[in-house]
Amino acid sequence: MRISIVSDDDVIPFANGMYPDYTGFWIVAGGIDGLYGSPGIRETPVDIPQMDGQYWPSRLTQGGRTITLKCGALCRTSVETANVLERLSALMTKTLRLRVEDESGVKTLSGFIADDFEPSIWWSRDRVYFTIIFYCPDPLKYGPAVSFVSSGSVVRVENAGRVAVYPSVRVNGSVSAMLLMLGSRTVQWTGNANGLDLDLRDMIPSSGVVSGQAFKIPPGVSAVPVSWSGNGSLILTVSPAWR
C-alpha cells in the first residue's frame, strides 16, 4: 500500500513500513487510523413521549472523517532533515488530497491538516517522527473519474462504487437546450453556448439557466435518457465513491 499527500506544488509519498536502506517518508507499523472505517452517524433519535422507543431520524448522515497517520522520515544529512520539516510545514493551511493506492485500487480524499504535526527529531538529526491529523469534511473516498458518451438519446453510466454520486455533464459544441432524466427527477438547461459544463452537485452551469431536481447515479449501471439541441456530443462523468 502507498499513501501520498498531494498539494498544488508538492507530492509527499509515504511507504508502508521502513527498510534498512530506505530514505524518505514512511508510515510506521499500525500507524493508520480512521482510513478504513467510516464516520459515525450525526443524527440522534428522539424519545416518543409516553411510549416505548424513539422516533427515527428523517435521514441518516455522516460527519467528516479524521485520519491519523503516524509517520517517520529518514534523511542522509541534517540539511535533508531541515528540508523535510519545511515541506511538512508548507502543507498547513492548504487544501490537500490524500491518495491511497492498495489492493482495491486508487482512492482519493480531500481535506486539510487539522493540527500541528509535532515533529520529534533524533539527536543525530537523521530521523524525524511525526503525526499527521488529516481532516476530510467530505468523508467519502473517490475513485478516478470515468466518462460516458451518449449513444442516441441515452447515456449508459456505470458507478463502480457503493455510494450514489452526482454526475457532471459536458456538451461539446453549440447547444441551446438540454434535458436529463433519471427516475422521477428531471434536469433542464436553456441558453445559447458553445460548450456547456454542469455539475449536478451544485447545479451551477457554465452559462445559461438550469432548473429541475438534481439526481445521483446509484451503484451499478444506469440508463440516463438525454436530449439536447445542438451539434455537439454529450458526456456524463462519474467519480465512484465509497464510505
Side-chain angles (χ1 to χ4, degrees):
M1 183 185 70
R2 179 178 291 272
I3 291 178
S4 301
I5 295 180
V6 182
S7 69
D8 290 339
D9 51 15
D10 197 5
V11 178
I12 299 180
F14 293 84
N16 187 21
M18 187 188 71
Y19 304 96
D21 59 346
Y22 179 78
T23 57
F25 296 90
W26 76 88
I27 298 174
V28 304
I32 303 174
D33 184 50
L35 176 61
Y36 288 106
S38 195
I41 300 300
R42 292 186 297 187
E43 288 76 15
T44 302
V46 177
D47 290 342
I48 302 176
Q50 301 178 358
M51 290 181 62
D52 295 332
Q54 296 177 304
Y55 291 114
W56 272 81
S58 60
R59 65 182 64 188
L60 295 174
T61 60
Q62 292 179 294
R65 179 189 296 269
T66 299
I67 300 172
T68 302
L69 304 175
K70 297 179 181 179
C71 312
L74 186 63
C75 309
R76 297 184 182 90
T77 66
S78 59
V79 174
E80 283 191 11
T81 301
N83 183 55
V84 163
L85 297 175
E86 289 175 356
R87 289 178 71 185
L88 292 172
S89 296
L91 298 176
M92 300 298 290
T93 72
K94 291 182 178 179
T95 299
L96 307 171
R97 297 183 301 280
L98 192 69
R99 177 183 171 92
V100 181
E101 303 172 60
D102 59 15
E103 299 80 0
S104 64
V106 178
K107 297 182 177 69
T108 302
L109 302 97
S110 297
F112 53 89
I113 295 179
D115 203 354
D116 184 3
F117 55 91
E118 296 183 355
S120 175
I121 307 172
W122 276 34
W123 64 271
S124 56
R125 299 190 66 81
D126 66 344
R127 195 169 300 183
V128 180
Y129 289 98
F130 53 94
T131 299
I132 292 177
I133 299 176
F134 195 87
Y135 184 73
C136 308
D138 181 351
L140 299 184
K141 310 165 193 172
Y142 292 92
V146 184
S147 296
F148 303 88
V149 182
S150 62
S151 176
S153 59
V154 174
V155 182
R156 291 185 63 83
V157 183
E158 181 178 6
N159 177 3
R162 294 185 178 273
V163 180
V165 292
Y166 289 106
S168 61
V169 187
R170 178 170 181 80
V171 178
N172 295 318
S174 62
V175 57
S176 57
M178 180 184 68
L179 176 68
L180 310 171
M181 292 181 291
L182 187 62
S184 61
R185 297 192 170 220
T186 300
V187 174
Q188 294 178 298
W189 175 89
T190 56
N192 187 6
N194 185 18
L196 170 66
D197 290 291
L198 171 63
D199 191 333
L200 268 63
R201 177 182 295 274
D202 54 30
M203 291 286 279
I204 300 176
S206 56
S207 64
V209 178
V210 67
S211 61
Q213 289 183 301
F215 56 79
K216 294 182 178 181
I217 304 297
V221 178
S222 300
V224 180
V226 298
S227 63
W228 71 98
S229 299
N231 59 7
S233 59
L234 187 146
I235 302 170
L236 279 182
T237 300
V238 173
S239 294
W242 292 262
R243 292 198 184 276

